[in-house]
Structure formats: C-alpha cells, structure tokens
Amino acid sequence: LDETMIRSQSKGKRVVVSLEDGTVLWQSQLVEPGEVSEPMKLNEALPAGTYPNAVLHFSCYTMDGSMTPLNSAETGLTLWVR
C-alpha cells in the first residue's frame, strides 16, 4: 500500500455513553488514529445506583477532511455510580 492509501484508510473515532432514555452522559472528542481519549467525566451528576441499560456507541470517521462516517457499533453496559 502506498502512503496515500494508508492515510485515506485512517479512522478517527468518537465514543458516546448514554442512558437508555438517550440522555448523553459523556462524549469523547474526535480521537485521531494512534491517540487516546481524554479521561471520562460525566456531563451531569447521577444519583448513586446501578444503571443496567446504559449504552456505549462507537463511531468511526475518515480523517481525510470530509469526516465521512464509516462503521459504528453499540453495546449495552451497566453503569455503577457511587
């Protein structure tokens, strides 16, 4: 593969954590290839407890300036708040 092809296949990533009602608790900045996200800090304080139906959504984008959406995935998770 030449450098242009490798560069065009690079993906930026964004991660969103939300409650099952769609309330966004945290969203990462666009994470460029080879980089890591900033530490997670929730957008709002939640009462202590267990949130068994939270959602983690992971999206990938091209890094060629067009930010074309690529693949994405979603999974459930249990969020424990102390």
Side-chain angles (χ1 to χ4, degrees), residues 31-60:
V31 180
E32 296 192 18
E35 298 297 322
V36 296
S37 171
E38 295 176 5
M40 183 184 292
K41 182 176 179 183
L42 299 183
N43 294 338
E44 61 183 76
L46 292 174
T50 302
Y51 298 81
N53 298 311
V55 178
L56 182 136
H57 184 87
F58 181 85
S59 302
C60 295

Side-chain angles (χ1 to χ4, degrees), residues 6-7 9-13 30-36 61-63:
I6 293 169
R7 193 177 312 120
Q9 292 177 3
S10 295
K11 296 182 275 188
K13 298 159 194 77
L30 183 65
V31 180
E32 296 192 18
E35 298 297 322
V36 296
Y61 302 88
T62 60
M63 295 298 293

